[in-house]
């Protein structure tokens, strides 16, 4: 694909869709000319061309809520940009996370961050780390720990509080990811299996 940006179709401007690099939430839409694009690439802070002010405008230059550049993709017609960024504070001038009033939060994505952290521990095995001690204890001990946490989760579900149920479920999830990592697998493998099961033709083994 030709990735050269076509600034000529709209009189020197191209739409720039801003997406949170972590949550994939669309944050806002702005416009860039070539100079704004080049400044964005140079500074790492997303910069637009303001059609009302008739000048370059770096998002956050007044509020401090910068958009820190992660990546830029050009669409198939070479006249629209998809920019992934890390927002520093609310994006909209009204104080909301996005210009559509949405909350920019997807806590479930932390599971991937946790998986990456546990894999790093498995690779580096730093001293003094609880995760390292689990890996060094061996598969049998790790599996036993998962079993213990599963029992505690069941107990809280049947006779405990909602707060303790969530607490023990978090312990169970963490130790399960550690066990999977030790076997060369991860939460992505679980997600793929669940996706297969969700299909209409799936039958239990």
């Amino acid at each position: 694909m030709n990735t050269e940006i076509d600034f000529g179709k709209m009189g020197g401007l191209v739409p720039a869709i801003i997406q949170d690099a972590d949550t994939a939430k669309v944050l806002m839409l702005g416009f860039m000319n070539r100079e704004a694009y080049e400044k964005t690439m140079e500074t790492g802070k997303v910069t637009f061309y303001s059609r009302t002010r008739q000048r370059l405008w770096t998002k956050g230059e007044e509020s401090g809520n910068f958009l820190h550049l992660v990546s830029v993709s050009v669409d198939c017609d070479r006249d629209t940009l998809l920019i992934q960024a890390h927002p520093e504070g609310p994006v909209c001038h009204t104080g909301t996370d996005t210009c559509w009033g949405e909350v920019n939060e997807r806590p479930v994505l932390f599971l991937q961050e946790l998986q990456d952290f546990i894999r790093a521990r498995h690779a580096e095995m730093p001293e003094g780390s609880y995760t390292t001690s689990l890996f060094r204890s061996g598969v049998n001990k790790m599996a036993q720990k998962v079993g213990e946490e599963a029992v505690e989760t069941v107990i809280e579900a049947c006779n405990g509080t909602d707060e303790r149920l969530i607490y023990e479920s978090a312990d169970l999830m963490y130790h399960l990811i550690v066990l999977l990592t030790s076997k060369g697998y991860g939460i992505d493998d679980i997600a793929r299996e669940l996706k297969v099961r969700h299909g209409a033709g799936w039958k239990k083994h």
Side-chain angles (χ1 to χ4, degrees):
M1 179 187 295
N2 185 352
T3 58
E4 182 179 350
I5 304 167
D6 186 351
F7 288 99
K9 290 184 181 179
M10 295 180 59
L13 298 178
V14 295
I17 301 165
I18 311 301
Q19 182 184 46
D20 189 301
D22 293 330
T23 67
K25 182 76 72 176
V26 175
L27 303 175
M28 65 172 291
L29 172 68
F31 289 86
M32 288 185 175
N33 59 9
R34 189 179 298 277
E35 188 179 358
Y37 171 77
E38 290 174 351
K39 185 174 181 181
T40 296
M41 301 304 291
E42 177 185 348
T43 65
K45 294 178 179 177
V46 179
T47 299
F48 302 100
Y49 179 79
S50 172
R51 295 170 297 169
T52 54
R53 304 175 191 179
Q54 297 286 296
R55 68 170 178 85
L56 295 188
W57 164 61
T58 298
K59 179 72 177 71
E61 64 186 22
E62 297 174 356
S63 66
N65 298 333
F66 295 101
L67 292 168
H68 299 282
L69 179 68
V70 174
S71 67
V72 179
S73 300
V74 186
D75 80 331
C76 56
D77 292 323
R78 301 184 294 114
D79 60 3
T80 301
L81 302 179
L82 176 63
I83 296 180
Q84 291 194 322
H86 288 141
E88 186 176 342
V91 170
C92 185
H93 70 281
T94 64
T96 58
D97 290 349
T98 80
C99 287
W100 289 270
E102 298 174 302
V103 176
N104 182 27
E105 183 181 33
R106 292 183 64 190
V108 69
L109 294 177
F110 176 72
L111 289 176
Q112 184 60 60
E113 185 177 336
L114 178 62
Q115 174 73 84
D116 293 342
F117 173 83
I118 290 173
R119 281 179 174 152
R121 282 287 193 262
H122 190 234
E124 299 163 6
M125 301 289 275
E127 294 295 334
S129 163
Y130 174 66
T131 308
T132 297
S133 70
L134 287 173
F135 285 129
R136 287 178 174 167
S137 70
V139 171
N140 289 346
K141 286 288 187 180
M142 282 184 280
Q144 179 182 339
K145 190 64 177 175
V146 171
E148 292 172 359
E149 299 299 344
V151 170
E152 291 177 7
T153 301
V154 170
I155 291 171
E156 293 300 333
C158 295
N159 299 301
T161 65
D162 291 346
E163 182 180 2
R164 291 298 302 178
L165 171 61
I166 296 301
Y167 184 91
E168 296 299 344
S169 295
D171 277 350
L172 173 58
M173 183 71 74
Y174 163 77
H175 287 91
L176 177 59
I177 294 175
V178 171
L179 177 61
L180 288 168
T181 301
S182 74
K183 301 290 287 185
Y185 296 103
I187 55 175
D188 287 345
D189 299 290
I190 304 301
R192 276 189 286 270
E193 173 65 17
L194 289 171
K195 185 176 181 179
V196 170
R197 294 186 185 191
H198 190 64
W202 183 81
K203 293 183 179 180
K204 186 176 178 64
H205 298 164

